[in-house]
Amino acid sequence: MYLNVHSWYSLRYGTMSMDKLIAEASSRGVTRMVLTDINNSTGVMEFIRKCRKFETITPVCGIEFRRDKKLLYIGIARNREGMRELNDFLTEHNLEKKVLPDHPPLFRHAFVVYPLGYEHTLRTNEFLGIRADELHLLYNRDINDIKDSLLVLQPVFVSDRIEFRLHEYLRAIDLNTVLSKVRPEDKCRDTDMFLMPGELEAKFSKYPFILDNTRRLLDQCHMDYPEGKIKRNRKTFTGNQSDDRALLQKLAMEGMLYRYGKNNKEAQRRLKHELKVINDMNFCSYFLITWDIIRYSMSRGYYHVGRGSGANSVVAYCLRITDVDPIELDLYFERFLNEQCSSAPDFDLDFSWDEREDVQDYIFKRYGSAHTALLGTMTTFRDRSVIREIGKVMGLPKTEIDGFTDRSKESLNRDNETFRKIVAIHSLMSDMPNQRSIHAGGVLISEEPISYYTALDLPPKGMPVVQWDMYEAEEIGYDKYDILSQRGIGHIKQAVNLIEENQKRKIDIHKVKDFMSDPLLNERLKRGDTIGCFYIESPAMRQLLNKLRCDSYPVLVAASSIIRPGVASSGMMSTYIRYHSRPEEVTYLHPVLAEKLGETYGVMVYQEDVIKVCIHFAGMDGSDADVLRRGMSGKYRSRVEFDRLIDRFFEGSRKLGRAEETIKEVWRQVSSFAGYSFSKAHSASFAVESYQSLFLKTYYPLEFMVAVLNNYGGFYTRWLYVHELQKTGAKVHLPCVNESDDVVNVKGSECWLGLFGIQGLENGLVDLIPEERKRNGPFLGLEDFLKRTGIKLDQAIILIRVGAFRFTRKNKKELLWDVHALLSTKVKPINGTELFQVDVKHYQLPGLSTTQLEDAYHELELLGYPLSLSMFDLLKTSFRGNVMARQMIALVGTVVRMVGLYVCEKTVYTKTNKKMWFGTFLDVKGDFFDTVHFPGSTPSYPFRGAGCYLIEGKIVEDFGYAGLEVMRFAKLEIKGNPVME
């Protein structure tokens, strides 16, 4: 009898998870109900799946359609075709941004239920829903015309009165208002829940025909989706599975010759094994579609990086999906794909940030918009920022809310009654879905039209997106294709192009194996001189490279793994660094571990290491080893199966004659490390790109740093990359209307900053100025510029103050005088060349001059950093520290005073929730040094933003890397702005 049931996917409205919804219904004796979440079908497949598992409830599905939060009608699917009709209807309005109409189209396989009060003629598939408290409206009324169309309408949103109160909080958060201002029409009724067995029928006992109508409608509904997990992806690439198999084998064999030559027996063996597994598991089309995406991107001249567990595959390497050789790195195919895989494999394909959208567009056009969609994601209320939202709807003042969200005050807040109430509310909603969003890069390519399983959303500036996330996609039977973007590839791509333009040299950036053996690159890597280089430029990574004295690809791969937060916090990082520095201290539990984990000194740095130990120490096969590894990471399919594999580990070890104590200790280490270890294939892929960046930074530093700047930098703010560009020997010029484009230009060793970085300059002018200059030649002067661009006074002043008219040989004050004189006479812009040049009257001005200090202040304001002077030049004090960064390692244990230019900081919390910081600075010579600020000093000496700091502290050393343990810390004053004095 329940035609209008809502789960928590009715976002910020419903309160029950799917499990709770089904359990609540079952406890009330419900045997059939209709899931109708508001304007979405997110939970439909989950609902069907879980009802079938529960067995006592027959699922029926639909969608409740609302416009401006007002109920229009409820769509109820008779079958999967009906669900597709409802999804298509909602999708059309989402994608075309059309409001939902008062009346839907005539559905062939779905019913429509209007709320009582709908007065238009009902079609054969349309009905009226009446609530129990509306039955009095039928009294003394002729209902013969609608008698057969009346249905029981008992909405369900909450499970009890407590959840109704939670519902009110959700509504207030959604409406961005306080609880007292949530109107009755903005929320459900406190009776909108499952009733006790027989209670609903009793309410309608005087109108048995309404009950009969409702039963009759439900009897016509059968969610005829096939049971069990069925692969929903596009089944073939060529249209025929046998042709797919033949094509994949042909491409792989050709690729093997390219990658390995004719006589590599191990490559041939691996390729044959992998192709069999791929075919047996029906993944030929998955590989071929991925190959097709790569083929398209390469035909367009795009760069890509294939990473993730797919780099464990020789077939993927031969198809050029990845550039990581799994044989060279001893990577296991079973880590990517095996007969016991509990989750789908996937390739992570990275493209440049400005090319990914074209690749996605190709996929949609190649495989059809009805069969292709981006993957969604679901954010929950788990984030502690929701505490702020709860405080707002309670009407608390901002200062009180700020105190509740400050982690350092958590111990004080525990005794606050209001805070305890907020935490209690947050705990009730923490796992609830909050908003639908878009996955970072997942794409689904479906065999059937995807609207059988979901309606589609259209995020701003996006492409059609399914209404569920990757976990639900996997449950339904979809394997995603990850089409991702990153700035690092953009850096590399543009640097190569700039080198060809500026130096007339063509670079083959894919000769990565040559780069890995280059001593200059490895020396730079060992020093941590990696600013701008993908994945290895952060302060933490540069420190790690220094501590490891990292000078090879294998060590960089390890560094890319142990830098991960979970690995570092587990103690594996410090263990690996210690053993790498002092390998003679390593003791191995067993010769097998010495043989298989010698590269990492017995530390299980990689997920593949866990698999190695299971295979070679315990005699397990690769498939079981990977399932066991996944189980230790909390991703097991069943606890029973996981326990069985643990038994197999011990039994297999004993059969191979391993000592019992050794087995127990190896298992302890395996189970400890497995949850933290990182995919070696993933790290190896990152390291390949890092070496490409290192090559460019080493041999073509100017073009590389320009490319970094033009692709919006990386880990650091823009000024640091400008500083790095200056260190290459480049002459960096301020923006100029006659030299600058939107981004940085380079000619020989001279670079002009782009117009894009000027704060306050309108985007239209950033494009217009270089276009006009290219079309009609350089600007002759200020007046010519004003006429040809039609620029407004405030925008012209910005360009003058940033120095963009230096070519006129006039100083800024003279130019400002001129621009006010010219634009006060309302100079009319012209769209073409003037027929006659009319001279303007010139006036004799008093002597006007601009100082370097004034220029620096203009640049600080408009660029965010000074170029005419350095930040050190702006300091009032002449003291630059009694120690420079390069001297620190020789002065370990000494208390020193240093002056540093702030680069960045990182805030962390100790186990007792006390705040501490890590800082990164440049000294006056341009060298980096790092600081650590322990909780005892942070409250008294906080960071105060950009600028130079006087830092007193003790030099400490960790694995040969010197840092400064801060004792006192203060921001230094700069010279005053002469214009303001």
Side-chain angles (χ1 to χ4, degrees), residues 77-97:
R78 289 173 51 198
N79 47 37
R80 68 196 298 267
E81 293 297 334
M83 200 64 234
R84 181 187 174 188
E85 285 182 316
L86 297 176
N87 282 333
D88 281 337
F89 171 64
L90 181 58
T91 296
E92 176 190 350
H93 290 80
N94 287 344
L95 299 190
E96 297 181 18
K97 299 182 180 178

PDB file of all heavy atoms in Angstrom, residues 77-97:
ATOM      1  N   ALA A  77       7.031   2.790 -12.083  1.00  0.00           N
ATOM      2  CA  ALA A  77       7.373   1.929 -13.215  1.00  0.00           C
ATOM      3  C   ALA A  77       6.660   0.595 -13.115  1.00  0.00           C
ATOM      4  O   ALA A  77       6.646  -0.026 -12.053  1.00  0.00           O
ATOM      5  CB  ALA A  77       8.881   1.724 -13.267  1.00  0.00           C
ATOM      6  N   ARG A  78       6.102   0.139 -14.229  1.00  0.00           N
ATOM      7  CA  ARG A  78       5.506  -1.199 -14.269  1.00  0.00           C
ATOM      8  C   ARG A  78       6.590  -2.265 -14.408  1.00  0.00           C
ATOM      9  O   ARG A  78       6.418  -3.392 -13.953  1.00  0.00           O
ATOM     10  CB  ARG A  78       4.541  -1.306 -15.445  1.00  0.00           C
ATOM     11  CG  ARG A  78       3.247  -0.506 -15.256  1.00  0.00           C
ATOM     12  CD  ARG A  78       2.412  -0.520 -16.524  1.00  0.00           C
ATOM     13  NE  ARG A  78       2.219  -1.865 -17.038  1.00  0.00           N
ATOM     14  CZ  ARG A  78       1.830  -2.142 -18.284  1.00  0.00           C
ATOM     15  NH1 ARG A  78       1.604  -1.164 -19.144  1.00  0.00           N
ATOM     16  NH2 ARG A  78       1.666  -3.398 -18.664  1.00  0.00           N
ATOM     17  N   ASN A  79       7.719  -1.894 -15.053  1.00  0.00           N
ATOM     18  CA  ASN A  79       8.804  -2.828 -15.328  1.00  0.00           C
ATOM     19  C   ASN A  79      10.058  -2.017 -15.657  1.00  0.00           C
ATOM     20  O   ASN A  79      10.067  -0.792 -15.506  1.00  0.00           O
ATOM     21  CB  ASN A  79       8.425  -3.770 -16.484  1.00  0.00           C
ATOM     22  CG  ASN A  79       7.843  -2.985 -17.663  1.00  0.00           C
ATOM     23  OD1 ASN A  79       8.293  -1.879 -17.965  1.00  0.00           O
ATOM     24  ND2 ASN A  79       6.846  -3.551 -18.320  1.00  0.00           N
ATOM     25  N   ARG A  80      11.088  -2.697 -16.104  1.00  0.00           N
ATOM     26  CA  ARG A  80      12.334  -1.973 -16.396  1.00  0.00           C
ATOM     27  C   ARG A  80      12.155  -0.986 -17.550  1.00  0.00           C
ATOM     28  O   ARG A  80      12.828   0.061 -17.582  1.00  0.00           O
ATOM     29  CB  ARG A  80      13.479  -2.957 -16.662  1.00  0.00           C
ATOM     30  CG  ARG A  80      13.357  -3.772 -17.940  1.00  0.00           C
ATOM     31  CD  ARG A  80      14.308  -4.977 -17.952  1.00  0.00           C
ATOM     32  NE  ARG A  80      15.697  -4.582 -17.892  1.00  0.00           N
ATOM     33  CZ  ARG A  80      16.468  -4.386 -18.966  1.00  0.00           C
ATOM     34  NH1 ARG A  80      15.952  -4.534 -20.189  1.00  0.00           N
ATOM     35  NH2 ARG A  80      17.732  -4.060 -18.832  1.00  0.00           N
ATOM     36  N   GLU A  81      11.257  -1.295 -18.490  1.00  0.00           N
ATOM     37  CA  GLU A  81      10.993  -0.343 -19.574  1.00  0.00           C
ATOM     38  C   GLU A  81      10.344   0.930 -19.026  1.00  0.00           C
ATOM     39  O   GLU A  81      10.630   2.037 -19.473  1.00  0.00           O
ATOM     40  CB  GLU A  81      10.095  -0.973 -20.640  1.00  0.00           C
ATOM     41  CG  GLU A  81      10.727  -2.114 -21.412  1.00  0.00           C
ATOM     42  CD  GLU A  81      11.943  -1.675 -22.223  1.00  0.00           C
ATOM     43  OE1 GLU A  81      12.012  -0.479 -22.600  1.00  0.00           O
ATOM     44  OE2 GLU A  81      12.814  -2.530 -22.480  1.00  0.00           O
ATOM     45  N   GLY A  82       9.480   0.743 -18.034  1.00  0.00           N
ATOM     46  CA  GLY A  82       8.868   1.899 -17.401  1.00  0.00           C
ATOM     47  C   GLY A  82       9.882   2.731 -16.640  1.00  0.00           C
ATOM     48  O   GLY A  82       9.830   3.968 -16.627  1.00  0.00           O
ATOM     49  N   MET A  83      10.839   2.049 -15.978  1.00  0.00           N
ATOM     50  CA  MET A  83      11.880   2.787 -15.258  1.00  0.00           C
ATOM     51  C   MET A  83      12.732   3.576 -16.239  1.00  0.00           C
ATOM     52  O   MET A  83      13.127   4.713 -15.965  1.00  0.00           O
ATOM     53  CB  MET A  83      12.741   1.799 -14.462  1.00  0.00           C
ATOM     54  CG  MET A  83      13.521   2.440 -13.335  1.00  0.00           C
ATOM     55  SD  MET A  83      12.472   3.157 -12.055  1.00  0.00           S
ATOM     56  CE  MET A  83      13.114   4.827 -11.987  1.00  0.00           C
ATOM     57  N   ARG A  84      12.968   2.984 -17.404  1.00  0.00           N
ATOM     58  CA  ARG A  84      13.725   3.724 -18.424  1.00  0.00           C
ATOM     59  C   ARG A  84      12.943   4.951 -18.888  1.00  0.00           C
ATOM     60  O   ARG A  84      13.523   6.026 -19.088  1.00  0.00           O
ATOM     61  CB  ARG A  84      14.031   2.811 -19.606  1.00  0.00           C
ATOM     62  CG  ARG A  84      14.831   3.512 -20.693  1.00  0.00           C
ATOM     63  CD  ARG A  84      14.987   2.670 -21.936  1.00  0.00           C
ATOM     64  NE  ARG A  84      15.628   3.440 -22.985  1.00  0.00           N
ATOM     65  CZ  ARG A  84      15.774   3.029 -24.243  1.00  0.00           C
ATOM     66  NH1 ARG A  84      15.331   1.837 -24.613  1.00  0.00           N
ATOM     67  NH2 ARG A  84      16.364   3.796 -25.127  1.00  0.00           N
ATOM     68  N   GLU A  85      11.638   4.815 -19.049  1.00  0.00           N
ATOM     69  CA  GLU A  85      10.826   5.969 -19.467  1.00  0.00           C
ATOM     70  C   GLU A  85      10.907   7.105 -18.447  1.00  0.00           C
ATOM     71  O   GLU A  85      11.080   8.277 -18.807  1.00  0.00           O
ATOM     72  CB  GLU A  85       9.362   5.551 -19.639  1.00  0.00           C
ATOM     73  CG  GLU A  85       9.078   4.761 -20.890  1.00  0.00           C
ATOM     74  CD  GLU A  85       7.597   4.425 -21.018  1.00  0.00           C
ATOM     75  OE1 GLU A  85       6.972   4.019 -20.021  1.00  0.00           O
ATOM     76  OE2 GLU A  85       7.054   4.593 -22.126  1.00  0.00           O
ATOM     77  N   LEU A  86      10.789   6.760 -17.182  1.00  0.00           N
ATOM     78  CA  LEU A  86      10.862   7.780 -16.134  1.00  0.00           C
ATOM     79  C   LEU A  86      12.240   8.424 -16.103  1.00  0.00           C
ATOM     80  O   LEU A  86      12.365   9.650 -15.965  1.00  0.00           O
ATOM     81  CB  LEU A  86      10.533   7.157 -14.770  1.00  0.00           C
ATOM     82  CG  LEU A  86       9.123   6.591 -14.594  1.00  0.00           C
ATOM     83  CD1 LEU A  86       8.993   5.914 -13.231  1.00  0.00           C
ATOM     84  CD2 LEU A  86       8.078   7.690 -14.730  1.00  0.00           C
ATOM     85  N   ASN A  87      13.279   7.607 -16.226  1.00  0.00           N
ATOM     86  CA  ASN A  87      14.645   8.141 -16.228  1.00  0.00           C
ATOM     87  C   ASN A  87      14.893   9.035 -17.441  1.00  0.00           C
ATOM     88  O   ASN A  87      15.536  10.087 -17.333  1.00  0.00           O
ATOM     89  CB  ASN A  87      15.661   7.001 -16.214  1.00  0.00           C
ATOM     90  CG  ASN A  87      15.829   6.374 -14.847  1.00  0.00           C
ATOM     91  OD1 ASN A  87      15.618   7.018 -13.826  1.00  0.00           O
ATOM     92  ND2 ASN A  87      16.205   5.105 -14.817  1.00  0.00           N
ATOM     93  N   ASP A  88      14.398   8.609 -18.601  1.00  0.00           N
ATOM     94  CA  ASP A  88      14.561   9.425 -19.812  1.00  0.00           C
ATOM     95  C   ASP A  88      13.852  10.764 -19.669  1.00  0.00           C
ATOM     96  O   ASP A  88      14.367  11.804 -20.095  1.00  0.00           O
ATOM     97  CB  ASP A  88      14.023   8.679 -21.038  1.00  0.00           C
ATOM     98  CG  ASP A  88      14.993   7.620 -21.554  1.00  0.00           C
ATOM     99  OD1 ASP A  88      16.207   7.737 -21.286  1.00  0.00           O
ATOM    100  OD2 ASP A  88      14.540   6.677 -22.231  1.00  0.00           O
ATOM    101  N   PHE A  89      12.666  10.735 -19.085  1.00  0.00           N
ATOM    102  CA  PHE A  89      11.892  11.961 -18.891  1.00  0.00           C
ATOM    103  C   PHE A  89      12.652  12.936 -17.985  1.00  0.00           C
ATOM    104  O   PHE A  89      12.819  14.122 -18.305  1.00  0.00           O
ATOM    105  CB  PHE A  89      10.527  11.604 -18.291  1.00  0.00           C
ATOM    106  CG  PHE A  89       9.717  12.779 -17.839  1.00  0.00           C
ATOM    107  CD1 PHE A  89       9.266  13.728 -18.745  1.00  0.00           C
ATOM    108  CD2 PHE A  89       9.388  12.942 -16.497  1.00  0.00           C
ATOM    109  CE1 PHE A  89       8.516  14.816 -18.321  1.00  0.00           C
ATOM    110  CE2 PHE A  89       8.639  14.015 -16.062  1.00  0.00           C
ATOM    111  CZ  PHE A  89       8.201  14.955 -16.976  1.00  0.00           C
ATOM    112  N   LEU A  90      13.152  12.435 -16.852  1.00  0.00           N
ATOM    113  CA  LEU A  90      13.889  13.298 -15.934  1.00  0.00           C
ATOM    114  C   LEU A  90      15.211  13.743 -16.565  1.00  0.00           C
ATOM    115  O   LEU A  90      15.611  14.918 -16.437  1.00  0.00           O
ATOM    116  CB  LEU A  90      14.157  12.552 -14.622  1.00  0.00           C
ATOM    117  CG  LEU A  90      14.899  13.331 -13.533  1.00  0.00           C
ATOM    118  CD1 LEU A  90      14.142  14.604 -13.160  1.00  0.00           C
ATOM    119  CD2 LEU A  90      15.115  12.461 -12.293  1.00  0.00           C
ATOM    120  N   THR A  91      15.879  12.840 -17.268  1.00  0.00           N
ATOM    121  CA  THR A  91      17.150  13.172 -17.913  1.00  0.00           C
ATOM    122  C   THR A  91      16.986  14.289 -18.924  1.00  0.00           C
ATOM    123  O   THR A  91      17.797  15.229 -18.969  1.00  0.00           O
ATOM    124  CB  THR A  91      17.724  11.926 -18.611  1.00  0.00           C
ATOM    125  OG1 THR A  91      18.037  10.939 -17.625  1.00  0.00           O
ATOM    126  CG2 THR A  91      18.970  12.263 -19.410  1.00  0.00           C
ATOM    127  N   GLU A  92      15.945  14.208 -19.737  1.00  0.00           N
ATOM    128  CA  GLU A  92      15.708  15.241 -20.753  1.00  0.00           C
ATOM    129  C   GLU A  92      15.633  16.623 -20.109  1.00  0.00           C
ATOM    130  O   GLU A  92      16.224  17.592 -20.595  1.00  0.00           O
ATOM    131  CB  GLU A  92      14.414  14.937 -21.504  1.00  0.00           C
ATOM    132  CG  GLU A  92      14.036  16.012 -22.518  1.00  0.00           C
ATOM    133  CD  GLU A  92      12.641  15.818 -23.087  1.00  0.00           C
ATOM    134  OE1 GLU A  92      12.032  14.750 -22.848  1.00  0.00           O
ATOM    135  OE2 GLU A  92      12.138  16.745 -23.754  1.00  0.00           O
ATOM    136  N   HIS A  93      14.912  16.722 -19.020  1.00  0.00           N
ATOM    137  CA  HIS A  93      14.745  18.025 -18.371  1.00  0.00           C
ATOM    138  C   HIS A  93      16.012  18.461 -17.642  1.00  0.00           C
ATOM    139  O   HIS A  93      16.316  19.656 -17.586  1.00  0.00           O
ATOM    140  CB  HIS A  93      13.532  17.990 -17.430  1.00  0.00           C
ATOM    141  CG  HIS A  93      12.235  17.914 -18.163  1.00  0.00           C
ATOM    142  ND1 HIS A  93      11.745  16.733 -18.683  1.00  0.00           N
ATOM    143  CD2 HIS A  93      11.356  18.881 -18.505  1.00  0.00           C
ATOM    144  CE1 HIS A  93      10.611  16.969 -19.298  1.00  0.00           C
ATOM    145  NE2 HIS A  93      10.345  18.257 -19.221  1.00  0.00           N
ATOM    146  N   ASN A  94      16.778  17.505 -17.112  1.00  0.00           N
ATOM    147  CA  ASN A  94      18.041  17.861 -16.471  1.00  0.00           C
ATOM    148  C   ASN A  94      19.073  18.346 -17.487  1.00  0.00           C
ATOM    149  O   ASN A  94      19.730  19.369 -17.284  1.00  0.00           O
ATOM    150  CB  ASN A  94      18.610  16.662 -15.705  1.00  0.00           C
ATOM    151  CG  ASN A  94      17.850  16.365 -14.426  1.00  0.00           C
ATOM    152  OD1 ASN A  94      17.084  17.187 -13.933  1.00  0.00           O
ATOM    153  ND2 ASN A  94      18.067  15.187 -13.870  1.00  0.00           N
ATOM    154  N   LEU A  95      19.207  17.611 -18.584  1.00  0.00           N
ATOM    155  CA  LEU A  95      20.252  17.934 -19.554  1.00  0.00           C
ATOM    156  C   LEU A  95      19.923  19.191 -20.350  1.00  0.00           C
ATOM    157  O   LEU A  95      20.819  19.957 -20.717  1.00  0.00           O
ATOM    158  CB  LEU A  95      20.483  16.763 -20.510  1.00  0.00           C
ATOM    159  CG  LEU A  95      20.936  15.441 -19.880  1.00  0.00           C
ATOM    160  CD1 LEU A  95      21.367  14.461 -20.962  1.00  0.00           C
ATOM    161  CD2 LEU A  95      22.059  15.639 -18.874  1.00  0.00           C
ATOM    162  N   GLU A  96      18.647  19.391 -20.628  1.00  0.00           N
ATOM    163  CA  GLU A  96      18.245  20.575 -21.400  1.00  0.00           C
ATOM    164  C   GLU A  96      17.852  21.742 -20.506  1.00  0.00           C
ATOM    165  O   GLU A  96      17.423  22.791 -20.990  1.00  0.00           O
ATOM    166  CB  GLU A  96      17.093  20.205 -22.344  1.00  0.00           C
ATOM    167  CG  GLU A  96      17.490  19.154 -23.376  1.00  0.00           C
ATOM    168  CD  GLU A  96      16.345  18.799 -24.323  1.00  0.00           C
ATOM    169  OE1 GLU A  96      15.371  19.593 -24.398  1.00  0.00           O
ATOM    170  OE2 GLU A  96      16.431  17.750 -24.964  1.00  0.00           O
ATOM    171  N   LYS A  97      18.009  21.537 -19.195  1.00  0.00           N
ATOM    172  CA  LYS A  97      17.720  22.581 -18.200  1.00  0.00           C
ATOM    173  C   LYS A  97      16.312  23.142 -18.367  1.00  0.00           C
ATOM    174  O   LYS A  97      16.077  24.350 -18.289  1.00  0.00           O
ATOM    175  CB  LYS A  97      18.771  23.690 -18.293  1.00  0.00           C
ATOM    176  CG  LYS A  97      20.183  23.199 -18.008  1.00  0.00           C
ATOM    177  CD  LYS A  97      21.200  24.314 -18.063  1.00  0.00           C
ATOM    178  CE  LYS A  97      22.601  23.782 -17.760  1.00  0.00           C
ATOM    179  NZ  LYS A  97      23.631  24.830 -17.839  1.00  0.00           N
TER     180      LYS A  97
END
